[in-house]
Amino acid sequence: MPPQQVRVTADNRGPLVNLANWITLIVVCLATLTKIATKLQKTGRPQGDDFIMFAAMLAAAGQSIAVAKQVQAGLGRHINTLTASQVDDYQKTGYIAQLFYILALCLPKFAVLHFLSTIAITKICRMTRKGIVAVNFVWTCLAMIIIASQCASSQPWAILSNQCTNQPAIWDFIGAVDIAVNVAIIALPIYILYDLRVPRNKKLTIMSAFALRGLLIPLAVLRLVYVKSASNSEDHPFDDLQTVLLTQVDMNLSIVFACFIFLKPFMDGLQTGLLASDIQILSLKKSSGNGSFGLGTWSKKNRKSPQDGIDLGPHERLDTQESLKQVVIHTSETKRHDLDSIHTSEGSTKDAIKKTTVIAQHYEPRESNRVFES
């Protein structure tokens, strides 16, 4: 016997949620797996942001499954057509979906912030990034605790009962901090990339990958409007449909937009001497007087043989041949006064005599940075 078809009617709009739910989840899975594959191709091993994004995908899948169960329990239908058991299932699945929603919102932010740690080299940028990480972490913990305990302890899932705290106020707080963190995550990389010396069109392309998160802001605001309008409803399963639809779109786009910055076109734009896939940044230091750049040498603890490659610190390492493509190596007996006079040549590295100077290509820093000195 063929399965009974479920159709969208004026009194049963739940299938619309399922349609949007599964389509957006498929897009999330494709974007996340593509992001991880791209990083694996470049680095040869999974890194921190890969694990974070994979966890975000799992959180989105958990939330989507909970919403699908909520549709089965009566989402999109009038409450007077549901049994007491269905209403109870509707509340439990909605409660679980809310918790997964918070996780799926916070994890993509952590992935982007993890990536920003590789390109934030000035002190103010590093401190700002750490501050955003702290705010996002505290916000996540508070949101999970508040959502988990929003109703009476005997039935914390009874989100339709009169024993819950002011739910619109809870979501206003969660949404406001979410928007503020998104704004910060957009602004910080644009500030960092402003000094990246690449063609303007490529710079704008890279910035646009981060700026896409700005589309989440009107979605979050619109969702809060619908949460407020449905808060006084006597028919929540039917009236909550718009809120759930916006929740699915907001959550899944947050993950997809976080994946964009790791895709090949954007990573290729960042693949310069300063910006590479999860490698420690080489920094410059301005010398006093003539305005030229002070040139430092590797410290003893960072020196490696040519066979070992170039060590960039305790976390990352560049192979010798790859490093020749990403950094400018210049050897001379006298100090150069003009950065533009530096020439890149793989052959010149073999004739090194006294001092090997490594500088970052295509970058003009705002302030003095540290150098490695022997």
Side-chain angles (χ1 to χ4, degrees):
M1 184 175 180
Q4 184 179 2
Q5 290 185 344
V6 179
R7 297 185 178 182
V8 178
T9 65
D11 296 323
N12 182 18
R13 301 182 295 172
L16 284 175
V17 176
N18 275 336
L19 181 63
N21 192 21
W22 298 121
I23 289 176
T24 53
L25 181 61
I26 289 171
V27 173
V28 162
C29 292
L30 290 175
T32 303
L33 295 178
T34 301
K35 176 257 184 245
I36 294 174
T38 301
K39 286 294 293 297
L40 285 176
Q41 184 182 16
K42 287 185 173 293
T43 63
R45 67 184 188 278
Q47 297 180 334
D49 49 72
D50 298 313
F51 294 112
I52 296 172
M53 289 305 303
F54 189 76
M57 183 185 73
L58 294 181
Q63 197 270 356
S64 297
I65 292 172
V67 168
K69 293 293 184 180
Q70 196 176 21
V71 171
Q72 291 181 1
L75 177 63
R77 288 183 281 168
H78 293 287
I79 194 169
N80 57 13
T81 65
L82 306 180
T83 64
S85 176
Q86 286 178 314
V87 172
D88 192 52
D89 289 342
Y90 174 87
Q91 294 179 97
K92 289 178 180 178
T93 52
Y95 176 76
I96 295 171
Q98 289 178 357
L99 293 173
F100 273 119
Y101 171 68
I102 298 299
L103 286 176
L105 279 188
C106 78
L107 289 173
K109 296 184 181 71
F110 280 125
V112 176
L113 290 166
H114 179 275
F115 173 73
L116 291 181
S117 68
T118 66
I119 65 175
I121 65 170
T122 62
K123 183 177 181 181
I124 186 173
C125 291
R126 293 196 303 271
M127 296 302 295
T128 301
R129 188 198 69 85
K130 290 179 181 179
I132 300 172
V133 170
V135 170
N136 194 47
F137 178 77
V138 172
W139 168 78
T140 302
C141 294
L142 286 177
M144 292 292 289
I145 293 171
I146 293 172
I147 293 298
S149 59
Q150 61 183 308
C151 301
S153 58
S154 58
Q155 290 184 321
W157 65 84
I159 54 179
L160 301 185
S161 68
N162 56 5
Q163 299 180 3
C164 299
T165 54
N166 189 342
Q167 291 175 319
I170 290 175
W171 287 112
D172 283 346
F173 163 74
I174 293 173
V177 179
D178 175 48
I179 291 171
V181 173
N182 273 325
V183 170
I185 291 177
I186 295 168
L188 180 59
I190 291 177
Y191 176 81
I192 294 171
L193 295 172
Y194 180 79
D195 284 332
L196 184 65
R197 298 185 63 181
V198 296
R200 183 184 297 270
N201 59 342
K202 183 174 290 188
K203 181 185 293 188
L204 292 176
T205 299
I206 299 169
M207 289 181 175
S208 68
F210 292 96
L212 277 174
R213 296 194 69 84
L215 297 177
L216 299 175
I217 295 174
L219 273 175
V221 172
L222 188 60
R223 180 183 178 276
L224 293 177
V225 171
Y226 276 101
V227 168
K228 182 71 173 178
S229 64
S231 62
N232 296 321
S233 173
E234 298 293 334
D235 193 5
H236 276 282
F238 189 79
D239 293 335
D240 285 348
L241 183 116
Q242 291 90 344
T243 302
V244 174
L245 281 173
L246 288 170
T247 298
Q248 300 310 106
V249 175
D250 181 35
M251 174 189 72
N252 290 314
L253 282 183
S254 177
I255 298 174
V256 171
F257 290 162
C259 292
F260 272 15
I261 64 174
F262 298 98
L263 299 183
K264 192 174 186 301
F266 303 110
M267 292 300 292
D268 286 346
L270 290 173
Q271 193 76 13
T272 66
L274 175 70
L275 303 173
S277 176
D278 269 358
I279 60 173
Q280 183 66 33
I281 306 305
L282 301 180
S283 56
L284 294 173
K285 181 179 181 181
K286 275 193 176 182
S287 64
S288 59
N290 56 13
S292 62
F293 288 96
L295 303 178
T297 56
W298 293 107
S299 63
K300 293 180 180 179
K301 68 179 180 180
N302 286 328
R303 287 175 182 164
K304 295 284 183 179
S305 67
Q307 290 78 14
D308 292 335
I310 296 177
D311 195 341
L312 298 181
H315 301 295
E316 307 294 342
R317 178 178 169 275
L318 285 177
D319 292 335
T320 302
Q321 294 301 319
E322 181 63 21
S323 67
L324 293 174
K325 302 175 184 177
Q326 297 175 351
V327 299
V328 179
I329 300 180
H330 176 67
T331 303
S332 66
E333 298 183 11
T334 61
K335 185 177 180 180
R336 300 284 185 176
H337 295 287
D338 190 351
L339 185 62
D340 294 331
S341 66
I342 295 175
H343 301 284
T344 304
S345 172
E346 182 174 349
S348 67
T349 62
K350 299 177 181 179
D351 301 323
I353 300 174
K354 292 185 177 180
K355 182 190 294 184
T356 299
T357 302
V358 181
I359 66 171
Q361 183 181 12
H362 295 322
Y363 185 76
E364 182 178 300
R366 282 191 179 83
E367 62 185 63
S368 297
N369 298 297
R370 64 187 183 278
V371 294
F372 301 95
E373 298 184 1
S374 56

